[in-house]
Amino acid sequence: MKGMDKFLCVLGIYDQETQRVLKEHQDAILQAGFTGQQTMGIPFHVTLGTFPVDRREELESKLNGLKMEQFEVYFNHMGMFEGQRVLFIAPDVSGEFLALKETFSDEKGWTAHTTMLIDERENTLKAMELLGERFRRFSGRIERAELWEFFPARKLGEKSLK
């Protein structure tokens, strides 16, 4: 069976404290026995865009030329996608957030989200209930952008925001 074609993603990466808070939320879900199919072992992030591999040079050039400051993000809701198979925590989209995304992608219908679990619907619904009990509004920062290739996950480049 032919594997899925590789693709590239530009990710907005959160600061260390935000990573810790998100990991605590995800750990609570995993410890409750949900495993899911989400990609593990990469930092918590917002996907700013998904691209074919032939755009690598252009994306690396945009990444290297990025001149933006770190900015604060507010997480005040959770949600679901894909017929309730994807559970996420979502940061509000500010002007700065949109500017970062639009540096790389003009994709319409983009939703800023940080995946917590990808699983069968019944599991995701139970996990959402669990997350809902512990979730409280919090703020964090986007501190860098990274270019990744999938699958397997491989980081190709990064640029820290000032």
Side-chain angles (χ1 to χ4, degrees), residues 34 37 79-88 115 117-129:
F34 302 103
Q37 296 117 38
M80 296 178 132
F81 281 147
E82 314 280 341
Q84 301 177 313
R85 291 188 63 245
V86 177
L87 172 62
F88 61 84
T115 300
L117 182 72
I118 301 175
D119 208 334
E120 297 307 318
R121 182 170 175 263
E122 61 194 278
N123 292 340
T124 312
L125 288 168
K126 286 181 200 145
M128 178 145 189
E129 202 171 308

Side-chain angles (χ1 to χ4, degrees), residues 4 12 22 30 33 36-37 56 59 61-62 67-68 70 75 89 94 99 102 112 114 117 119 125 128 133 141 157-158:
M4 205 172 113
L22 290 165
L30 300 178
Q37 296 117 38
R56 178 172 174 176
L59 293 167
S61 165
K62 284 180 176 177
K67 286 180 177 43
M68 274 189 76
Q70 294 188 9
F75 297 88
I89 290 178
S94 61
E102 292 189 337
T114 298
L117 182 72
D119 208 334
L125 288 168
M128 178 145 189
E133 285 169 15
R141 271 189 347 270
E158 67 176 276

Side-chain angles (χ1 to χ4, degrees), residues 16-162:
Q16 217 166 350
E17 176 59 16
T18 308
Q19 295 286 341
R20 188 189 64 74
V21 174
L22 290 165
K23 184 176 182 340
E24 281 180 5
H25 284 312
Q26 189 178 61
D27 285 350
I29 293 169
L30 300 178
Q31 283 158 12
F34 302 103
T35 50
Q37 296 117 38
Q38 63 284 352
T39 305
M40 300 295 285
I42 67 172
F44 287 105
H45 62 273
V46 169
T47 301
L48 302 170
T50 302
F51 310 90
V53 288
D54 65 7
R55 291 187 58 192
R56 178 172 174 176
E57 279 183 29
E58 171 204 342
L59 293 167
E60 284 176 333
S61 165
K62 284 180 176 177
L63 188 65
N64 293 333
L66 193 59
K67 286 180 177 43
M68 274 189 76
E69 297 190 354
Q70 294 188 9
F71 55 90
E72 202 162 10
V73 287
Y74 296 93
F75 297 88
N76 65 12
H77 62 288
M78 7 185 274
M80 296 178 132
F81 281 147
E82 314 280 341
Q84 301 177 313
R85 291 188 63 245
V86 177
L87 172 62
F88 61 84
I89 290 178
D92 286 347
V93 176
S94 61
E96 295 151 308
F97 212 147
L98 205 54
L100 179 62
K101 178 251 177 196
E102 292 189 337
T103 300
F104 299 99
S105 165
D106 55 6
E107 188 182 319
K108 300 290 174 258
W110 171 75
T111 302
H113 69 283
T114 298
T115 300
M116 291 285 108
L117 182 72
I118 301 175
D119 208 334
E120 297 307 318
R121 182 170 175 263
E122 61 194 278
N123 292 340
T124 312
L125 288 168
K126 286 181 200 145
M128 178 145 189
E129 202 171 308
L130 179 89
L131 186 60
E133 285 169 15
R134 39 175 302 132
F135 182 78
R136 298 290 175 271
R137 180 189 167 101
F138 67 101
S139 68
R141 271 189 347 270
I142 294 278
E143 67 172 21
R144 66 186 187 278
E146 295 183 351
L147 177 62
W148 284 73
E149 178 187 81
F150 295 94
F151 282 96
R154 179 167 79 105
K155 185 163 73 169
L156 302 177
E158 67 176 276
K159 178 73 185 254
S160 292
L161 304 181
K162 305 258 173 285

